Each structure stands twice: as C-alpha cells, then as structure tokens.
Amino acid sequence: SRRIGRSPHGSPNLSEGEYADIPGQTTILGAAKFSGKTKNGLGVGILETVTAEERAVIDRGGDRSEEVVEPLSNYFVGRLTQDFREGQTVVGGIFTATNRFLDGTGLDDLHRSAYSGGVDLLHQWKDRTYFVSFNGIFSRVNGSEEAILNTQTAFEHYFQRPDADYLSVDSTATSLLGHGGTIKAGKMAGNWNFEGGVTWRSPELELNDIGFMINADEINHFFWTGYQWNEPFSVFRNMNLNYNHYARWDFGGNNLYQAVNTNIGMMFNNFWRFGTGVTYEHRDISNRALFGGPALRRSKGFANWYFLSTDNRKKVQFNLNATIARGFERNAPRTVAFQSYSLGVTIQPLDAFNISIRPGYNQNQRKVQYVTDREYQGETRYIAGTVDQQTMSVTVRFNLNITPNFTIQYYGQPFISRGRYTKFKYITDPQADFFYDRIYEYSDNEIFFDAESEEYFVDENRDGEADYSFGDPDFNFMQLRSNLVARWEYIPGSEIFLVWAPGITNSEDPRKGLIESWRDGLFTQQPENIFLIKATYRFLY
C-alpha cells in the first residue's frame, strides 16, 4: 500500500526557458480498509483506494499551461484465509488490481492495468512442532507496446541482456504474465530447529504497480538450522547457535550465488546481550550490475558482524552494532568493501515515556560500480568506477502514554548519502576469474574531467580528440523523514489517528563534507507538510 499516494510517474519535457511545478505526491481521493476474523476462523481483508489525476503547471515567461503527470487510478487488495484444526492448518488467497485511466493523458508508458494474486497453505502437526508451507503467485500487466517494452527492459527484468539467450524482447507485446512461489518445511519447536526450501520468481513476474519487487528471474534455495540452550548455565542465561546456506540460479540455469553463514547469540546473567556472526560468499554473479549488459562476476567476500546491548530493564540502555565486509581474490585490491556502525541509547525516565536516539554511519567502497555505457568502434563500453559512498543518519523515536487510551509517538530520521567516483574503467571480460582480467582501467592520459561542463572525456586511442564522454556520477543526496502520531482509542478496539508528517528531500555539492552538506542542504530548508486522519471501528458478531 506504500505505492498508493506515491510521487507522480510522469514529468514534463521542458524546453529552454520553461519551468514546472510538479506535485510531490498523488492525492488520495478516498480510501477504505475492512479487516477481521470470524469465530469460525475466516479471515477477511479488503483495501480500496482511488487517487486523483495530477497535473504539473508549466511556466514560460508568465504564460502557464498544464500537463498530466499522474492518471486517475484505482487500487484494490482482497485477502481471505480459513483456519482448520484450531489454526494448525491455514489456507489463504489474495488478489490485487491496479487500474489507471490513461485516455487523453499522454502517459502511455504506464500500465493500463496490473493484476496479481495467489494461494497459500500452511500445515503444522505434532503440536505445531513441524510445518510445511506453500504459496504460488501470478501477475499480469497490460498496456501499450511502449509500456510493456519498458517493463521487459526495466531493472527488475532486463530481457535485453546480451548473454541471456533464454530471454528475448518482444516489442509488439501488450501484456506480460509471470509467476512465482515458495515451498518450505521445517521444525520450529524444541532446542533444535531447522527450515529449508526454494523460492522462485519468473523473468516475467511484475508486482511493482501495487507491491515491491527488486528482482525477477531468480530461483533461490535456502537452509537454516540452529540449536538453542534455554536453561541457564555458567555465566549465561541462554544461548543460540545457527548455520545457514544460500544458493541462487536464474531461469537460464546459471548459478549466480553461493554463501554460508553462522551466528551465535547469548544473554548473560546480568541481562547483557552479545552476538556475532560471519558470512562467506563463495560465488557472486550479478545479472543487473551492468544495467542491461552481460552478467558480471564480483569478488568473493567475507563479512563479520557484532552486536552488544546492556540490560534492557534499566532506565538507560545502550546497544552497539558493527558490520565489516571485505572482498578478496588473488589479484584484486584488498580493502574494506563495507563497514557499518551504529550506537543506540534508550532512556525511560517514566513508565509512560521513553525516548531513543540511534546515530549510524556506513561506508561502501565498491571497486566496480556501473556508471554508463557508450559505443566505441562498434563495441559497447560498459563504464564503471570505484565509488566511495558514505551514509550517515540519526534515528529518533519517543513514545508518550498520556492515558492507556491516548498516546503520542514520534519518529524522525535525517539522512545523507554521498558518493564520489574515481579510477574509471570499462569491462573487458565480465566473468573472468580474476579481477584485472575483467576490467581495463583508464590511464591519466586517456581520461580528463571538464569542471565547466561537469563531464569526463575519454581519448581511448590517444589521438588528442575525445572519443566519447559521460557526466560526472558523483552525488550528495539527503532527506528528512518524520511523523508525529496522536492515537486515541475512543472505544475498545476502535481508534482515531492524527498524523503530521513533515519531510525534506534535497541534494548538495558532492565535494562538501557530510556535516556541512547536512547543515546547508537539510536543516535550513522549508519542509513539506502532510496531515492525515485515520479512523477504525471494530465490531463483534
């Protein structure tokens, strides 16, 4: 449902001297949700929403015109479940529909309609000790040839990949039908537990009109097993140890990913907690790293994480999280590929009030990050760079219970992510076993940066004239997300919510520091304010 009320899909194609005022969100004209469960175990959930047509106002020297950037749309979600054997067996189904009214809008690159649905089964036995579950899903999107072509070539699908001989782009198609599902079984009671299964998404599966899906064209196998000590021993109140492994293929049968992982967690007699884990990635091949180009092999990896927290019964509690990951192979540069740290403090001076603050920082240094592609002497140059991306955030929450029926909650997170690119290169052999066999790094006399146009120019044959160019990929993006919620339970089970959600989105000069950018580009800006009212009513029969 987060897709409902999103920012408009379209944007005007402006000429020189034109400016546009584009709505930041789509107006929700009306929405209703009904959910509940009968005494006989029948669960029902229905969501119905209508969003408005949105128009951008275009100004050219005082002359104004309008252009549609989002069509009038209808969203529907329906869900049914039925319990058997006192809830130990559950059968369910879901259906979703998105319908857009595109006539006369000029937005023919959008799906006119999108439908998805599925069935699911959960069966448990021996007092819910063992289980087996299955779900199967389908999707169908309909639209113009342009809309379906966009879907086939979008990031989630990339039918145009030159090494994907099991896929082909159909530029005349006006619909796309996909499927997916998950089968798993396990044991979830007692000291020793396990779970394993397979999940898949066909190349054609498309759920993003109403849901959220990053990748299609995947078959994933997973297995997990663990043992937990629930009785105190030595200095421990409890402890758990687990092992995991993962593998992934695409629908062409190519093995893309292999990894193993183990973790241990414990609580001490003083109620402090500690945990650590390690993951080894033996194989990592990405079908999307070159954004429509061939599959790219990535370096093997090793990651370690840590967690420590103090006694959560105290009025002041601290917790620390850290993750460090390294990529390695025989002739590749050995540096920390990813590191992340966060420190949280929670203060509860009163039973009815608590506040938590969690600053966090992470740094991602990827040696081969796609930038763009260019044609040169009949070949495609997939250009990449070494990116140093630093991200900083502070998450603040507080909860105030004025009465058991009236509460106030706040969430806020200022966030900034800055990326700087160096050591530009192009891909030579994307699946070569060794790092430097996969890339060619431009020398200083082959590439230069023009600050005025903010472009890099490449003279690959070194004849003194640029053979091709590309824009500066550096970025500095920041955002403030927050909401203040007042909740009143006016009768048992029925509530009214008043929500104020101020937000800011901005960008700054990538050459600036993180703190300076935060100060100039975020906290001095005027927020965009959203106000919402939500009411629920619960009835029994």
Side-chain angles (χ1 to χ4, degrees):
S1 61
R2 294 185 182 182
R3 296 288 186 189
I4 301 170
R6 54 155 289 160
S7 57
H9 285 86
S11 60
N13 187 14
L14 300 177
S15 302
E16 186 176 353
E18 291 185 334
Y19 302 90
D21 181 11
I22 305 173
Q25 286 83 32
T26 301
T27 303
I28 300 175
L29 296 176
K33 183 174 76 172
F34 173 83
S35 64
K37 197 167 190 177
T38 70
K39 291 182 291 185
N40 296 324
L42 177 65
V44 180
I46 297 174
L47 173 68
E48 169 67 22
T49 307
V50 177
T51 60
E53 179 180 277
E54 296 290 351
R55 294 173 176 264
V57 178
I58 303 170
D59 185 283
R60 181 177 177 84
D63 294 331
R64 294 192 172 186
S65 59
E66 293 186 348
E67 184 175 321
V68 177
V69 291
E70 182 71 18
L72 178 70
S73 304
N74 178 262
Y75 299 88
F76 171 83
V77 180
R79 168 77 166 152
L80 291 174
T81 62
Q82 178 62 60
D83 294 355
F84 300 96
R85 301 172 55 245
E86 298 180 337
Q88 294 192 79
T89 300
V90 183
V91 178
I94 189 171
F95 179 76
T96 80
T98 301
N99 289 281
R100 299 186 177 95
F101 300 88
L102 299 178
D103 291 346
T105 65
L107 299 173
D108 292 331
D109 56 338
L110 299 181
H111 296 145
R112 183 172 294 272
S113 61
Y115 306 107
S116 64
V119 294
D120 56 280
L121 167 69
L122 170 64
H123 180 64
Q124 303 167 95
W125 67 94
K126 204 171 182 180
D127 244 359
R128 304 180 190 267
T129 299
Y130 299 93
F131 78 93
V132 62
S133 71
F134 164 80
N135 71 65
I137 60 175
F138 82 93
S139 70
R140 181 184 175 94
V141 292
N142 305 295
S144 66
E145 293 179 356
E146 179 187 6
I148 302 304
L149 178 62
N150 288 344
T151 302
Q152 294 176 82
T153 56
F155 178 82
E156 299 86 352
H157 306 277
Y158 283 147
F159 283 17
Q160 73 273 30
R161 300 194 318 266
D163 55 349
D165 54 8
Y166 60 99
L167 295 173
S168 61
V169 175
D170 183 355
S171 60
T172 64
T174 56
S175 66
L176 203 62
L177 180 65
H179 62 86
T182 301
I183 302 173
K184 61 181 179 179
K187 176 179 179 288
M188 299 302 289
N191 297 94
W192 173 62
N193 299 303
F194 64 88
E195 179 182 281
V198 175
T199 182
W200 75 93
R201 295 187 290 271
S202 77
E204 302 84 4
L205 187 68
E206 175 55 54
L207 304 174
N208 282 320
D209 289 273
I210 200 167
F212 181 76
M213 184 188 75
I214 299 176
N215 294 332
D217 191 14
E218 287 188 354
I219 303 170
N220 291 279
H221 162 66
F222 55 90
F223 177 79
W224 167 88
T225 186
Y227 191 89
Q228 52 190 5
W229 292 264
N230 297 317
E231 299 297 326
F233 67 98
S234 183
V235 298
F236 306 105
R237 294 186 63 85
N238 58 59
M239 182 183 293
N240 64 79
L241 176 68
N242 64 55
Y243 161 84
N244 310 262
H245 69 240
Y246 323 93
R248 181 184 310 131
W249 296 263
D250 61 25
F251 272 64
N254 303 300
N255 184 203
L256 303 177
Y257 188 77
Q258 296 176 9
V260 294
N261 162 265
T262 186
N263 306 281
I264 187 170
M266 60 201 72
M267 178 188 285
F268 299 98
N269 288 331
N270 63 357
F271 288 90
W272 283 44
R273 293 176 174 84
F274 173 76
T276 185
V278 61
T279 299
Y280 169 61
E281 293 183 342
H282 176 66
R283 186 181 185 88
D284 185 2
I285 297 175
S286 172
N287 282 337
R288 293 168 179 81
L290 297 181
F291 287 68
L296 177 68
R297 183 183 299 274
R298 291 168 167 167
S299 299
K300 299 175 182 179
F302 181 88
N304 190 206
W305 68 270
Y306 304 90
F307 167 77
L308 176 67
S309 71
T310 61
D311 187 350
N312 61 9
R313 303 172 304 166
K314 305 293 186 180
K315 290 187 179 295
V316 180
Q317 176 195 358
F318 295 92
N319 58 72
L320 172 68
N321 290 272
T323 301
I324 300 174
R326 296 177 182 270
F328 60 87
E329 53 185 292
R330 192 164 68 189
N331 70 338
R334 295 197 176 195
T335 58
V336 174
F338 178 82
Q339 53 187 326
S340 175
Y341 309 95
S342 66
L343 173 66
V345 56
T346 300
I347 304 172
Q348 183 146 0
L350 305 169
D351 290 343
F353 176 73
N354 67 71
I355 182 170
S356 68
I357 302 174
R358 177 181 290 276
Y361 170 83
N362 69 61
Q363 183 179 29
N364 186 6
Q365 295 179 303
R366 189 178 291 278
K367 300 299 178 184
V368 181
Q369 177 61 52
Y370 173 86
V371 174
T372 189
D373 55 80
R374 292 290 184 266
E375 295 299 317
Y376 176 68
Q377 294 186 348
E379 297 181 356
T380 301
R381 291 284 190 253
Y382 294 99
I383 300 169
T386 295
V387 63
D388 181 4
Q389 182 177 359
Q390 299 180 61
T391 302
M392 185 171 65
S393 66
V394 179
T395 303
V396 179
R397 300 177 186 267
F398 77 73
N399 298 279
L400 174 62
N401 291 12
I402 298 175
T403 72
N405 298 327
F406 185 66
T407 63
I408 296 177
Q409 297 175 312
Y410 173 79
Y411 164 83
Q413 185 190 67
F415 164 95
I416 183 170
S417 187
R418 184 197 64 194
R420 294 172 174 170
Y421 286 76
T422 57
K423 297 182 179 179
F424 292 97
K425 57 202 66 124
Y426 65 84
I427 308 302
T428 55
D429 186 353
Q431 293 207 45
D433 289 334
F434 301 117
F435 179 81
Y436 283 109
D437 294 336
R438 295 196 288 270
I439 60 104
Y440 172 82
E441 190 170 303
Y442 296 116
S443 62
D444 290 342
N445 58 359
E446 288 179 298
I447 187 169
F448 68 93
F449 180 67
D450 180 60
E452 184 176 348
S453 63
E454 296 186 335
E455 281 193 288
Y456 285 90
F457 291 86
V458 179
D459 179 13
E460 195 171 318
N461 58 13
R462 306 184 191 184
D463 63 355
E465 295 185 6
D467 297 310
Y468 49 88
S469 65
F470 57 91
D472 183 3
D474 290 356
F475 61 89
N476 192 354
F477 175 82
M478 63 204 69
Q479 195 169 66
L480 170 66
R481 291 185 175 182
S482 63
N483 58 68
L484 181 66
V485 180
R487 168 192 164 273
W488 174 39
E489 188 175 7
Y490 59 95
I491 59 174
S494 299
E495 301 163 319
I496 292 177
F497 297 87
L498 303 178
V499 182
W500 173 39
I504 299 171
T505 299
N506 202 3
S507 59
E508 265 288 346
D509 186 343
R511 291 169 292 185
K512 284 187 175 182
L514 293 178
I515 300 297
E516 182 185 8
S517 298
W518 221 347
R519 180 197 66 203
D520 297 342
L522 197 63
F523 296 114
T524 60
Q525 303 300 308
Q526 185 70 24
E528 181 179 71
N529 297 292
I530 298 174
F531 299 92
L532 300 170
I533 298 176
K534 175 184 175 182
T536 69
Y537 178 75
R538 181 169 302 216
F539 53 90
L540 302 175
Y541 70 94

